[in-house]
Amino acid sequence: MTAAARSGAPIRVVGIGADGWAGLGERVKTVVEDSEVVFGSRRQLSLLPNGDFERVPWPTPLLPALPELLARHHDRRLTVLASGDPMFYGIGVTLARLVGPGALDVYPQPSSASLACARLGWPLAETPVVSVVARPLATVLPELADRRRLLVLSENETTPVALAELLRDNGFGASTLTVLEQLGGERERLLTGTADDWPHPPGDPLNLCAVDCVADPDHPRRTRMPGLRDDSFTGDGQLTKAEVRALTVTALAPAPGELLWDVGGGSGTIAIEWCRTHPACRAVTYERLPARREQIAANAHALGVPAVAVRGAFPEDLTGAPAPDAVFLGGGLTQDGVFDACWQRLRPGGRLVANAVTAESEALLLAWCGRHGGVLRKFQIYRGEPLGGFTAWRPQLPVAQWIVVKPFGNS
Protein backbone atom coordinates (compact mmCIF):
# COMPACT_ATOMS: atom_id res chain seq x y z
CA MET A 1 0.00 0.00 0.00
CA THR A 2 1.18 3.50 -0.78
CA ALA A 3 0.01 6.93 0.33
CA ALA A 4 -1.75 7.33 -3.02
CA ALA A 5 -3.66 4.07 -2.50
CA ARG A 6 -4.92 5.11 0.94
CA SER A 7 -8.40 6.65 0.99
CA GLY A 8 -10.28 8.32 3.79
CA ALA A 9 -8.96 10.06 6.88
CA PRO A 10 -5.29 9.80 7.85
CA ILE A 11 -4.23 7.00 10.18
CA ARG A 12 -3.87 8.42 13.69
CA VAL A 13 -0.73 7.10 15.40
CA VAL A 14 -1.00 7.68 19.13
CA GLY A 15 1.87 7.28 21.57
CA ILE A 16 0.84 5.89 24.92
CA GLY A 17 3.07 5.50 27.94
CA ALA A 18 3.11 3.15 30.90
CA ASP A 19 0.77 5.61 32.64
CA GLY A 20 -1.88 4.61 30.11
CA TRP A 21 -5.09 6.51 29.45
CA ALA A 22 -4.51 8.94 32.30
CA GLY A 23 -1.29 10.17 30.70
CA LEU A 24 -2.97 11.23 27.44
CA GLY A 25 -4.11 14.78 26.81
CA GLU A 26 -7.77 15.56 26.18
CA ARG A 27 -7.20 16.11 22.45
CA VAL A 28 -5.54 12.71 22.04
CA LYS A 29 -8.27 11.00 24.07
CA THR A 30 -10.84 12.49 21.70
CA VAL A 31 -8.88 11.13 18.72
CA VAL A 32 -8.94 7.60 20.17
CA GLU A 33 -12.62 7.78 21.16
CA ASP A 34 -13.53 8.94 17.64
CA SER A 35 -11.90 5.86 16.09
CA GLU A 36 -13.74 2.99 14.46
CA VAL A 37 -10.75 0.63 14.76
CA VAL A 38 -7.81 0.77 17.17
CA PHE A 39 -4.73 -1.36 16.53
CA GLY A 40 -2.12 -2.11 19.17
CA SER A 41 -0.50 -4.76 21.30
CA ARG A 42 -2.73 -6.53 23.79
CA ARG A 43 -0.99 -4.64 26.60
CA GLN A 44 -1.61 -1.27 24.93
CA LEU A 45 -5.24 -2.06 24.10
CA SER A 46 -5.85 -3.05 27.72
CA LEU A 47 -4.92 0.49 28.78
CA LEU A 48 -7.94 1.99 26.98
CA PRO A 49 -11.37 2.49 28.56
CA ASN A 50 -14.50 0.99 27.08
CA GLY A 51 -15.52 2.61 23.81
CA ASP A 52 -17.44 2.13 20.57
CA PHE A 53 -14.29 1.30 18.60
CA GLU A 54 -13.15 -2.17 17.56
CA ARG A 55 -9.90 -3.33 19.19
CA VAL A 56 -7.57 -5.28 16.90
CA PRO A 57 -4.43 -6.76 18.48
CA TRP A 58 -1.37 -6.98 16.25
CA PRO A 59 -0.75 -10.38 14.67
CA THR A 60 2.58 -12.16 14.93
CA PRO A 61 4.64 -11.63 12.87
CA LEU A 62 3.38 -8.11 12.30
CA LEU A 63 5.27 -6.71 9.30
CA PRO A 64 4.17 -9.25 6.66
CA ALA A 65 0.53 -8.88 7.72
CA LEU A 66 0.46 -5.08 8.03
CA PRO A 67 -0.34 -4.07 4.39
CA GLU A 68 -3.29 -6.46 4.14
CA LEU A 69 -4.53 -5.48 7.60
CA LEU A 70 -4.61 -1.78 6.70
CA ALA A 71 -6.16 -2.47 3.30
CA ARG A 72 -8.96 -4.46 4.94
CA HIS A 73 -9.93 -1.42 7.04
CA HIS A 74 -9.02 1.27 4.49
CA ASP A 75 -12.43 2.98 4.61
CA ARG A 76 -12.62 3.24 8.42
CA ARG A 77 -11.21 5.72 10.93
CA LEU A 78 -8.06 4.00 12.15
CA THR A 79 -5.90 4.62 15.19
CA VAL A 80 -2.64 2.82 15.89
CA LEU A 81 -1.23 2.71 19.41
CA ALA A 82 2.53 2.95 19.91
CA SER A 83 4.79 3.00 22.94
CA GLY A 84 5.85 6.55 23.79
CA ASP A 85 7.06 8.35 20.68
CA PRO A 86 5.83 6.41 17.60
CA MET A 87 8.70 7.80 15.49
CA PHE A 88 11.38 6.61 17.94
CA TYR A 89 12.04 2.98 16.94
CA GLY A 90 8.27 2.63 16.76
CA ILE A 91 5.45 1.56 14.49
CA GLY A 92 5.17 5.12 13.19
CA VAL A 93 8.42 4.68 11.26
CA THR A 94 7.13 1.50 9.61
CA LEU A 95 3.80 3.11 8.71
CA ALA A 96 5.49 6.19 7.23
CA ARG A 97 7.48 3.93 4.91
CA LEU A 98 4.41 1.89 4.03
CA VAL A 99 1.73 4.52 3.41
CA GLY A 100 3.77 7.74 3.33
CA PRO A 101 4.00 10.44 6.02
CA GLY A 102 1.14 12.39 4.47
CA ALA A 103 -1.26 9.56 5.35
CA LEU A 104 -0.47 9.79 9.07
CA ASP A 105 -1.36 12.04 11.99
CA VAL A 106 1.16 11.33 14.74
CA TYR A 107 0.60 12.19 18.41
CA PRO A 108 3.80 11.46 20.32
CA GLN A 109 4.38 10.99 24.04
CA PRO A 110 7.82 11.24 25.67
CA SER A 111 10.04 8.41 24.42
CA SER A 112 11.52 5.85 26.79
CA ALA A 113 14.93 7.41 26.08
CA SER A 114 13.66 10.85 27.14
CA LEU A 115 12.23 9.43 30.35
CA ALA A 116 15.37 7.42 31.08
CA CYS A 117 17.68 10.40 30.62
CA ALA A 118 15.36 12.48 32.81
CA ARG A 119 15.64 9.89 35.60
CA LEU A 120 19.41 9.49 35.27
CA GLY A 121 20.35 13.11 34.61
CA TRP A 122 22.01 12.17 31.32
CA PRO A 123 22.06 14.54 28.32
CA LEU A 124 19.63 13.00 25.82
CA ALA A 125 21.30 14.59 22.77
CA GLU A 126 24.64 13.04 23.68
CA THR A 127 23.39 9.57 24.64
CA PRO A 128 23.38 6.93 21.86
CA VAL A 129 20.44 4.52 21.76
CA VAL A 130 20.62 0.94 20.49
CA SER A 131 17.47 -1.08 19.95
CA VAL A 132 17.68 -4.85 20.38
CA VAL A 133 13.94 -5.29 19.76
CA ALA A 134 13.85 -7.98 17.07
CA ARG A 135 17.58 -7.38 16.58
CA PRO A 136 20.62 -9.35 17.79
CA LEU A 137 22.02 -8.20 21.12
CA ALA A 138 25.49 -8.13 19.55
CA THR A 139 24.59 -4.89 17.75
CA VAL A 140 25.41 -3.16 21.05
CA LEU A 141 29.12 -4.01 20.76
CA PRO A 142 30.32 -1.27 18.35
CA GLU A 143 28.85 1.38 20.66
CA LEU A 144 30.89 0.34 23.70
CA ALA A 145 33.74 2.62 24.73
CA ASP A 146 35.34 3.52 28.04
CA ARG A 147 33.42 6.25 29.93
CA ARG A 148 30.65 6.28 27.36
CA ARG A 149 26.99 6.15 28.30
CA LEU A 150 24.34 4.49 26.17
CA LEU A 151 20.77 3.24 26.32
CA VAL A 152 19.65 -0.18 25.12
CA LEU A 153 15.98 -0.71 24.25
CA SER A 154 15.19 -4.19 25.55
CA GLU A 155 13.45 -7.01 23.73
CA ASN A 156 11.90 -8.31 26.96
CA GLU A 157 12.67 -9.17 30.58
CA THR A 158 15.61 -11.40 29.61
CA THR A 159 17.58 -8.61 27.93
CA PRO A 160 19.26 -7.15 31.07
CA VAL A 161 20.77 -10.48 32.12
CA ALA A 162 21.94 -11.19 28.56
CA LEU A 163 23.35 -7.66 28.26
CA ALA A 164 25.33 -8.07 31.51
CA GLU A 165 26.82 -11.28 30.10
CA LEU A 166 27.67 -9.56 26.81
CA LEU A 167 29.47 -6.77 28.68
CA ARG A 168 31.41 -9.25 30.81
CA ASP A 169 32.49 -11.30 27.80
CA ASN A 170 33.72 -8.25 25.87
CA GLY A 171 35.85 -6.42 28.40
CA PHE A 172 33.20 -4.18 29.97
CA GLY A 173 32.33 -6.18 33.08
CA ALA A 174 33.00 -3.24 35.43
CA SER A 175 30.32 -1.15 33.69
CA THR A 176 27.34 0.05 35.70
CA LEU A 177 24.06 -1.31 34.39
CA THR A 178 20.75 0.30 35.32
CA VAL A 179 17.44 -1.28 34.32
CA LEU A 180 14.47 1.10 34.12
CA GLU A 181 11.12 -0.70 34.19
CA GLN A 182 7.63 0.66 33.44
CA LEU A 183 8.93 4.20 32.96
CA GLY A 184 6.28 6.80 33.66
CA GLY A 185 3.84 4.31 35.17
CA GLU A 186 2.75 3.48 38.68
CA ARG A 187 5.05 0.43 38.75
CA GLU A 188 8.17 2.29 37.66
CA ARG A 189 11.33 0.73 39.11
CA LEU A 190 15.10 1.20 38.72
CA LEU A 191 17.58 -1.63 39.33
CA THR A 192 21.33 -1.00 39.39
CA GLY A 193 24.46 -3.14 39.56
CA THR A 194 27.64 -3.97 37.70
CA ALA A 195 27.76 -6.33 34.76
CA ASP A 196 30.38 -8.52 36.44
CA ASP A 197 28.05 -9.50 39.27
CA TRP A 198 24.59 -8.54 38.06
CA PRO A 199 22.39 -9.50 41.02
CA HIS A 200 18.86 -9.08 39.66
CA PRO A 201 16.70 -11.83 38.12
CA PRO A 202 14.51 -11.08 35.08
CA GLY A 203 11.79 -8.58 35.96
CA ASP A 204 9.27 -6.59 33.95
CA PRO A 205 9.29 -7.11 30.15
CA LEU A 206 8.73 -3.37 29.58
CA ASN A 207 12.20 -2.03 30.33
CA LEU A 208 15.30 -0.44 28.90
CA CYS A 209 18.91 -0.62 30.05
CA ALA A 210 21.33 2.22 30.73
CA VAL A 211 25.03 1.38 30.50
CA ASP A 212 27.78 3.52 32.00
CA CYS A 213 30.77 1.91 30.29
CA VAL A 214 33.98 1.01 32.09
CA ALA A 215 36.52 -0.79 29.91
CA ASP A 216 38.90 -3.47 31.13
CA PRO A 217 42.38 -2.02 30.42
CA ASP A 218 43.67 -5.49 29.54
CA HIS A 219 41.02 -6.13 26.90
CA PRO A 220 41.74 -5.17 23.26
CA ARG A 221 40.36 -1.72 22.44
CA ARG A 222 37.90 -1.78 19.56
CA THR A 223 36.53 1.43 18.12
CA ARG A 224 34.51 2.18 15.01
CA MET A 225 37.63 3.37 13.20
CA PRO A 226 38.89 0.80 10.64
CA GLY A 227 42.07 -1.09 11.43
CA LEU A 228 41.10 -3.52 14.20
CA ARG A 229 43.87 -5.79 15.40
CA ASP A 230 44.27 -8.89 13.27
CA ASP A 231 43.52 -11.12 16.26
CA SER A 232 40.05 -9.57 16.47
CA PHE A 233 39.16 -11.98 13.66
CA THR A 234 39.31 -15.76 13.59
CA GLY A 235 39.75 -17.90 10.52
CA ASP A 236 42.31 -19.68 8.38
CA GLY A 237 44.60 -16.65 8.05
CA GLN A 238 42.96 -15.39 4.84
CA LEU A 239 42.41 -11.79 5.87
CA THR A 240 43.40 -8.27 4.91
CA LYS A 241 45.95 -7.13 7.50
CA ALA A 242 45.08 -4.24 9.81
CA GLU A 243 47.17 -1.52 8.14
CA VAL A 244 46.04 -2.40 4.62
CA ARG A 245 42.48 -2.82 5.88
CA ALA A 246 42.46 0.70 7.33
CA LEU A 247 43.69 2.15 4.04
CA THR A 248 41.19 0.07 2.06
CA VAL A 249 38.09 0.96 4.09
CA THR A 250 39.14 4.62 3.99
CA ALA A 251 39.43 4.39 0.20
CA LEU A 252 35.96 2.82 0.02
CA ALA A 253 34.68 5.91 1.91
CA PRO A 254 31.62 4.47 3.68
CA ALA A 255 28.68 6.77 4.40
CA PRO A 256 25.57 5.99 6.51
CA GLY A 257 23.09 3.78 4.72
CA GLU A 258 25.42 2.71 1.92
CA LEU A 259 25.83 -0.87 0.72
CA LEU A 260 29.16 -2.61 0.09
CA TRP A 261 29.89 -5.70 -1.94
CA ASP A 262 32.95 -7.48 -0.54
CA VAL A 263 33.99 -9.95 -3.25
CA GLY A 264 36.27 -12.71 -2.00
CA GLY A 265 35.34 -12.31 1.66
CA GLY A 266 38.00 -14.49 3.29
CA SER A 267 37.44 -13.75 6.98
CA GLY A 268 35.02 -10.91 6.27
CA THR A 269 37.32 -8.19 7.56
CA ILE A 270 36.49 -5.48 5.01
CA ALA A 271 32.72 -5.98 5.17
CA ILE A 272 32.81 -6.05 8.98
CA GLU A 273 34.95 -2.92 9.30
CA TRP A 274 32.75 -1.12 6.73
CA CYS A 275 29.61 -1.91 8.78
CA ARG A 276 31.23 -0.92 12.07
CA THR A 277 31.81 2.64 10.82
CA HIS A 278 28.09 3.42 11.20
CA PRO A 279 25.08 1.33 12.28
CA ALA A 280 23.24 2.14 9.03
CA CYS A 281 26.04 0.79 6.78
CA ARG A 282 25.27 -2.53 5.09
CA ALA A 283 27.40 -5.16 3.38
CA VAL A 284 27.12 -8.31 1.31
CA THR A 285 30.21 -10.50 1.24
CA TYR A 286 30.78 -13.19 -1.38
CA GLU A 287 32.87 -16.25 -0.51
CA ARG A 288 32.94 -19.55 -2.38
CA LEU A 289 34.19 -21.77 0.49
CA PRO A 290 31.50 -22.89 3.00
CA ALA A 291 33.93 -22.98 5.95
CA ARG A 292 34.93 -19.38 5.30
CA ARG A 293 31.31 -18.32 4.96
CA GLU A 294 30.66 -19.74 8.42
CA GLN A 295 33.71 -17.93 9.75
CA ILE A 296 32.62 -14.61 8.25
CA ALA A 297 29.24 -14.94 9.97
CA ALA A 298 30.92 -15.80 13.29
CA ASN A 299 33.30 -12.82 13.03
CA ALA A 300 30.46 -10.46 12.11
CA HIS A 301 28.46 -11.55 15.15
CA ALA A 302 31.45 -11.34 17.50
CA LEU A 303 32.24 -7.80 16.33
CA GLY A 304 28.70 -6.49 16.55
CA VAL A 305 27.55 -6.41 12.92
CA PRO A 306 25.60 -9.69 12.58
CA ALA A 307 23.50 -8.26 9.73
CA VAL A 308 26.40 -8.66 7.26
CA ALA A 309 24.92 -10.83 4.51
CA VAL A 310 27.08 -13.80 3.52
CA ARG A 311 26.63 -15.27 0.06
CA GLY A 312 28.32 -17.93 -2.02
CA ALA A 313 30.57 -17.72 -5.05
CA PHE A 314 30.63 -14.56 -7.19
CA PRO A 315 29.11 -13.94 -9.70
CA GLU A 316 27.08 -17.16 -9.51
CA ASP A 317 25.21 -16.06 -6.36
CA LEU A 318 24.08 -12.63 -7.58
CA THR A 319 20.34 -13.32 -7.83
CA GLY A 320 18.34 -10.62 -6.07
CA ALA A 321 21.40 -8.72 -4.84
CA PRO A 322 20.74 -4.96 -4.62
CA ALA A 323 23.10 -2.64 -6.51
CA PRO A 324 26.07 -1.60 -4.36
CA ASP A 325 27.33 1.87 -3.53
CA ALA A 326 30.87 0.50 -3.23
CA VAL A 327 32.71 -2.67 -4.21
CA PHE A 328 35.85 -4.19 -2.78
CA LEU A 329 37.66 -6.73 -4.94
CA GLY A 330 39.99 -8.63 -2.67
CA GLY A 331 39.79 -12.01 -4.31
CA GLY A 332 39.01 -13.49 -7.70
CA LEU A 333 40.58 -10.63 -9.66
CA THR A 334 41.95 -13.02 -12.26
CA GLN A 335 38.64 -14.89 -12.61
CA ASP A 336 36.88 -14.13 -15.88
CA GLY A 337 33.88 -11.87 -15.56
CA VAL A 338 34.29 -10.86 -11.90
CA PHE A 339 35.36 -7.26 -12.50
CA ASP A 340 32.88 -6.76 -15.35
CA ALA A 341 29.99 -8.03 -13.18
CA CYS A 342 30.98 -5.67 -10.36
CA TRP A 343 31.45 -2.66 -12.63
CA GLN A 344 28.16 -3.23 -14.45
CA ARG A 345 26.14 -3.36 -11.21
CA LEU A 346 27.97 -0.63 -9.30
CA ARG A 347 25.81 2.48 -8.93
CA PRO A 348 26.94 5.58 -10.87
CA GLY A 349 29.05 7.64 -8.51
CA GLY A 350 29.96 4.49 -6.58
CA ARG A 351 33.49 3.53 -5.63
CA LEU A 352 35.43 0.40 -6.53
CA VAL A 353 38.63 -0.54 -4.72
CA ALA A 354 40.73 -3.52 -5.77
CA ASN A 355 43.84 -4.87 -4.01
CA ALA A 356 46.43 -7.02 -5.76
CA VAL A 357 49.42 -8.92 -4.35
CA THR A 358 50.47 -10.97 -7.39
CA ALA A 359 52.06 -9.78 -10.60
CA GLU A 360 49.18 -11.19 -12.64
CA SER A 361 46.47 -9.40 -10.65
CA GLU A 362 48.55 -6.22 -10.56
CA ALA A 363 48.70 -6.26 -14.35
CA LEU A 364 44.90 -6.35 -14.42
CA LEU A 365 44.73 -3.27 -12.21
CA LEU A 366 46.98 -1.42 -14.63
CA ALA A 367 44.79 -2.43 -17.56
CA TRP A 368 41.53 -1.50 -15.81
CA CYS A 369 42.97 1.84 -14.72
CA GLY A 370 43.96 2.54 -18.31
CA ARG A 371 40.42 1.83 -19.43
CA HIS A 372 38.39 3.47 -16.63
CA GLY A 373 40.76 5.93 -14.98
CA GLY A 374 41.11 6.21 -11.23
CA VAL A 375 44.10 6.21 -8.91
CA LEU A 376 46.82 3.60 -8.49
CA ARG A 377 49.01 3.31 -5.42
CA LYS A 378 51.31 0.70 -3.96
CA PHE A 379 52.43 0.21 -0.38
CA GLN A 380 54.29 -2.25 1.78
CA ILE A 381 53.93 -2.59 5.53
CA TYR A 382 56.82 -3.47 7.84
CA ARG A 383 56.23 -4.68 11.39
CA GLY A 384 58.82 -4.71 14.13
CA GLU A 385 59.40 -8.25 15.42
CA PRO A 386 61.92 -9.79 17.81
CA LEU A 387 65.18 -11.06 16.32
CA GLY A 388 67.25 -12.56 19.10
CA GLY A 389 67.63 -9.76 21.60
CA PHE A 390 66.93 -7.10 18.99
CA THR A 391 64.06 -5.88 16.82
CA ALA A 392 63.91 -6.44 13.07
CA TRP A 393 61.53 -5.03 10.49
CA ARG A 394 59.58 -7.87 8.88
CA PRO A 395 58.04 -6.92 5.52
CA GLN A 396 54.57 -8.01 4.48
CA LEU A 397 53.72 -8.59 0.84
CA PRO A 398 53.45 -5.32 -1.11
CA VAL A 399 49.91 -4.39 -2.09
CA ALA A 400 48.90 -2.59 -5.27
CA GLN A 401 45.60 -0.75 -4.95
CA TRP A 402 43.30 0.73 -7.56
CA ILE A 403 40.63 3.26 -6.55
CA VAL A 404 38.03 4.36 -9.10
CA VAL A 405 34.68 6.19 -9.09
CA LYS A 406 32.14 5.04 -11.65
CA PRO A 407 31.04 8.03 -13.74
CA PHE A 408 27.39 8.89 -14.16
CA GLY A 409 26.08 7.65 -17.48
CA ASN A 410 28.68 4.85 -17.51
CA SER A 411 27.68 1.21 -17.82
Side-chain angles (χ1 to χ4, degrees), residues 260-349:
L260 170 74
W261 281 6
D262 178 7
V263 180
S267 297
T269 58
I270 297 296
I272 289 168
E273 294 258 37
W274 165 281
C275 287
R276 281 178 60 91
T277 62
H278 191 276
C281 285
R282 301 164 295 137
V284 179
T285 182
Y286 293 90
E287 172 54 57
R288 64 183 180 85
L289 297 178
R292 286 183 180 169
R293 292 200 294 271
E294 292 177 6
Q295 196 58 64
I296 292 170
N299 282 330
H301 188 276
L303 291 167
V305 286
V308 169
V310 184
R311 291 194 169 206
F314 187 93
E316 292 82 355
D317 197 7
L318 268 179
T319 303
D325 301 288
V327 173
F328 172 61
L329 273 175
L333 271 71
T334 58
Q335 180 181 340
D336 287 344
V338 167
F339 168 74
D340 290 336
C342 290
W343 188 252
Q344 180 181 0
R345 289 166 176 79
L346 180 64
R347 295 183 187 277

Side-chain angles (χ1 to χ4, degrees), residues 238-241 244-245 247-248 251 263-264 270 327-335 339 352-369 375-381 396-403:
Q238 187 68 26
L239 81 164
T240 305
K241 297 297 191 292
V244 176
R245 194 183 327 125
L247 292 168
T248 300
V263 180
I270 297 296
V327 173
F328 172 61
L329 273 175
L333 271 71
T334 58
Q335 180 181 340
F339 168 74
L352 185 145
V353 176
N355 288 356
V357 295
T358 68
E360 290 79 4
S361 56
E362 185 175 324
L364 289 173
L365 298 192
L366 291 169
W368 293 335
C369 185
V375 174
L376 285 167
R377 60 184 183 178
K378 192 169 188 177
F379 38 81
Q380 185 170 26
I381 305 299
Q396 299 180 33
L397 287 173
V399 177
Q401 186 175 84
W402 177 45
I403 308 165

Side-chain angles (χ1 to χ4, degrees), residues 1 17 69 73 85-86 109 162 187 201 206 211 238 259 266 311 375-376 379 383 392 395:
M1 176 183 287
L69 196 61
H73 300 281
D85 185 344
Q109 288 280 91
R187 296 187 292 120
L206 187 63
V211 184
Q238 187 68 26
L259 173 68
R311 291 194 169 206
V375 174
L376 285 167
F379 38 81
R383 291 182 178 177

Side-chain angles (χ1 to χ4, degrees), residues 39-366:
F39 297 103
S41 69
R42 295 186 186 278
R43 179 189 65 80
Q44 291 165 342
L45 293 172
S46 71
L47 299 174
L48 303 183
N50 293 331
D52 294 333
F53 45 80
E54 178 185 354
R55 301 169 194 245
V56 179
W58 292 127
T60 302
L62 169 60
L63 294 183
L66 192 55
E68 190 277 331
L69 196 61
L70 295 179
R72 190 190 315 161
H73 300 281
H74 70 93
D75 57 348
R76 306 175 74 185
R77 295 189 303 278
L78 305 183
T79 293
V80 171
L81 298 182
S83 294
D85 185 344
M87 307 309 292
F88 183 76
Y89 294 97
I91 187 66
V93 178
T94 302
L95 289 171
R97 291 174 182 153
L98 187 63
V99 302
L104 303 178
D105 282 339
V106 181
Y107 302 86
Q109 288 280 91
S111 70
S112 56
S114 294
L115 292 172
C117 286
R119 302 295 186 269
L120 299 167
W122 291 6
L124 177 61
E126 300 172 14
T127 303
V129 180
V130 182
S131 174
V132 297
V133 179
R135 295 178 175 90
L137 186 64
T139 54
V140 173
L141 291 174
E143 298 291 347
L144 301 178
D146 192 37
R147 294 169 290 175
R148 196 180 195 204
R149 294 167 168 174
L150 65 141
L151 299 176
V152 179
L153 306 183
S154 295
E155 171 80 17
N156 52 40
E157 70 276 10
T158 68
T159 300
V161 173
L163 178 59
E165 182 179 0
L166 184 80
L167 294 169
R168 287 196 303 270
D169 292 346
N170 288 274
F172 287 88
S175 302
T176 299
L177 183 61
T178 302
V179 178
L180 303 99
E181 299 178 345
Q182 289 285 336
L183 276 170
E186 294 180 355
R187 296 187 292 120
E188 180 176 312
R189 183 173 70 151
L190 274 66
L191 304 170
T192 301
T194 59
D196 268 334
D197 53 0
W198 181 247
H200 306 289
D204 195 288
L206 187 63
N207 74 84
L208 80 162
C209 302
V211 184
D212 198 341
C213 297
V214 178
D216 179 351
D218 297 325
H219 195 272
R221 188 166 183 263
R222 294 171 178 166
T223 73
R224 288 193 178 275
M225 296 298 293
L228 293 176
R229 287 171 32 164
D230 292 342
D231 60 9
S232 301
F233 304 88
T234 59
D236 58 6
Q238 187 68 26
L239 81 164
T240 305
K241 297 297 191 292
E243 300 87 349
V244 176
R245 194 183 327 125
L247 292 168
T248 300
V249 175
T250 301
L252 287 165
E258 288 191 325
L259 173 68
L260 170 74
W261 281 6
D262 178 7
V263 180
S267 297
T269 58
I270 297 296
I272 289 168
E273 294 258 37
W274 165 281
C275 287
R276 281 178 60 91
T277 62
H278 191 276
C281 285
R282 301 164 295 137
V284 179
T285 182
Y286 293 90
E287 172 54 57
R288 64 183 180 85
L289 297 178
R292 286 183 180 169
R293 292 200 294 271
E294 292 177 6
Q295 196 58 64
I296 292 170
N299 282 330
H301 188 276
L303 291 167
V305 286
V308 169
V310 184
R311 291 194 169 206
F314 187 93
E316 292 82 355
D317 197 7
L318 268 179
T319 303
D325 301 288
V327 173
F328 172 61
L329 273 175
L333 271 71
T334 58
Q335 180 181 340
D336 287 344
V338 167
F339 168 74
D340 290 336
C342 290
W343 188 252
Q344 180 181 0
R345 289 166 176 79
L346 180 64
R347 295 183 187 277
R351 293 85 60 203
L352 185 145
V353 176
N355 288 356
V357 295
T358 68
E360 290 79 4
S361 56
E362 185 175 324
L364 289 173
L365 298 192
L366 291 169

